[in-house]
Amino acid sequence: MASGVKPRVKVPKSAAAGDAITIKTLISHQMESGQRKDKDGNTIPRSIINRFTCDFNGQNVVDVKMEPAISTNPYIEFESTVPEAGEFKFTWYDDDGSIYDTTKKIAIG
Amino acid sequence: MKMKAMTALCATLALSAPLVMAGGADDDKMVINGETEMVTKTTAPAHMENVSEIMSGWHFRSDETQALQLDDFDNPGMIFVDQALDAWNTVEGSAEKACASCHEGPESMKGVRAVYPKWNADAGEMRTLAMQINDCRENQMGAEKYKYDSVPMASMEALISVQSRGMPVNVAIDGEAAPYWEAGKELYYTRTGQLELSCANCHEDNYGNYIRADHLSQGQINGFPVYRLKNAKLNTAHGRFKGCVRDTRAETYSPGSPEFVALELYVASRGNGLSVEGPSVRN
């Protein structure tokens, strides 16, 4: 089980309509690859974030499939155009079935 | 002297090949989150005999590494600060107290990092920030002590350090602190290990030069705890001392030992005037 998982995102508070803005996201997560062994030689089970999505007002912006080679605390930065005021929704999917999400509002102005 | 020699070297190189990297510190400016201006170069404190200007280790790192420290979102050390904030508010131990029970918000710690290690008159000992944290945990909270150079300890130090970020380091070296400071200075200039290196050999005589692929800094500790890219976690000053001494192929002192406490006081005093940077980002 993953512990201490905390999503964080950075989105500008406002943008001009049609502008491309930079969004930064990071989730604290151990990203255990499933390739390592513990002291007794037993495989440490894989526990990673396997998918990340971002939606704006219900429309998908990015959908990322993630693999075990990604290092701890995955950081994803991308751009999105903002046609109107609304809300970004960020979702992370954990191997253990947990879903972490957070939202950020953005205004036009 | 050293600076003059280096300037002359730069000038020579500039004439022959303008793009050659001469080593040494760069001239970048550190502004955190676009608002907090940091002092990363300043006149050396009066007690330093062989160095005229003190510089943050930030100047010796690549632009990419430097950039990570300029924005709290990009700074991986801030993840640990967040974790420490949870710990700050968590009730632990037999007294059923959290840090917050006595100290309220972590803002109350403003200025603390800048003056540690500090003489504690009641206990009659030289105290590092880590010792103070453990004293609180043991005697005020009735909780278990953190291991001296563990991640929870480094994280708590980071949470406390970040409250003082931008304030000048200002540790006292006179009065009761004087004998500890002298002991630390002695260690700083003592060669250890099979390689017979003292702290000064690298960080005073050769900062700005390369030791194989590593760019030597002045070994300032104003940025501790440090997020290191090599191990993807926060590292304490004593953990770093241990690593350095080990690299001279010597038996090291333990983190939290009286020797390292004295050394921390001395090395911190060499940074008097630089901004508190913790948590900083280095190689």
Side-chain angles (χ1 to χ4, degrees), chain A residues 8 10 24 26 73 75, chain B residues 71 73-74 78-79 82:
Chain A
R8 48 207 97 193
K10 189 175 183 183
K24 296 174 176 180
L26 185 150
N73 305 330
Y75 170 96
Chain B
D71 184 314
F73 196 89
D74 296 339
M78 297 308 283
I79 294 168
D82 274 3

Side-chain angles (χ1 to χ4, degrees), chain B residues 86-97:
Chain B
D86 291 341
W88 179 272
N89 293 311
T90 305
V91 172
E92 277 183 85
S94 55
E96 301 200 347
K97 281 190 206 166

Side-chain angles (χ1 to χ4, degrees), chain B residues 177-195:
Chain B
Y180 296 88
W181 184 81
E182 288 292 349
K185 184 175 182 182
E186 180 75 26
L187 273 173
Y188 191 88
Y189 287 102
T190 302
R191 289 170 182 265
T192 61
Q194 290 178 322
L195 298 184

Side-chain angles (χ1 to χ4, degrees), chain B residues 36-129:
Chain B
T36 313
E37 280 190 33
M38 309 284 274
V39 177
T40 52
K41 282 188 188 182
T42 189
T43 314
H47 68 76
M48 284 170 75
E49 291 143 18
N50 309 318
V51 177
S52 53
E53 187 183 34
I54 52 174
M55 303 168 212
S56 161
W58 183 79
H59 284 293
F60 299 86
R61 302 280 63 94
S62 70
D63 287 347
E64 294 83 357
T65 307
Q66 288 183 339
L68 283 172
Q69 205 185 320
L70 298 183
D71 184 314
D72 280 351
F73 196 89
D74 296 339
N75 183 341
M78 297 308 283
I79 294 168
F80 297 86
V81 170
D82 274 3
Q83 286 168 358
L85 190 57
D86 291 341
W88 179 272
N89 293 311
T90 305
V91 172
E92 277 183 85
S94 55
E96 301 200 347
K97 281 190 206 166
C99 306
S101 312
C102 297
H103 298 293
E104 299 181 358
E107 313 78 62
S108 60
M109 294 289 117
K110 189 173 163 67
V112 171
R113 169 77 272 182
V115 296
Y116 270 81
K118 187 179 168 188
W119 174 254
N120 184 309
D122 294 337
E125 65 177 6
M126 178 55 64
R127 268 205 191 149
T128 62
L129 190 53

Side-chain angles (χ1 to χ4, degrees), chain B residues 87 90-99 130-153 156:
Chain B
T90 305
V91 172
E92 277 183 85
S94 55
E96 301 200 347
K97 281 190 206 166
C99 306
M131 289 163 77
Q132 184 60 52
I133 291 168
N134 268 343
D135 181 71
C136 262
R137 287 184 65 82
E138 200 177 16
N139 299 322
Q140 307 295 330
M141 296 165 69
E144 255 186 57
K145 292 204 262 187
Y146 287 138
K147 187 167 168 281
Y148 198 92
D149 55 349
S150 63
V151 168
M153 175 62 88
M156 188 54 75

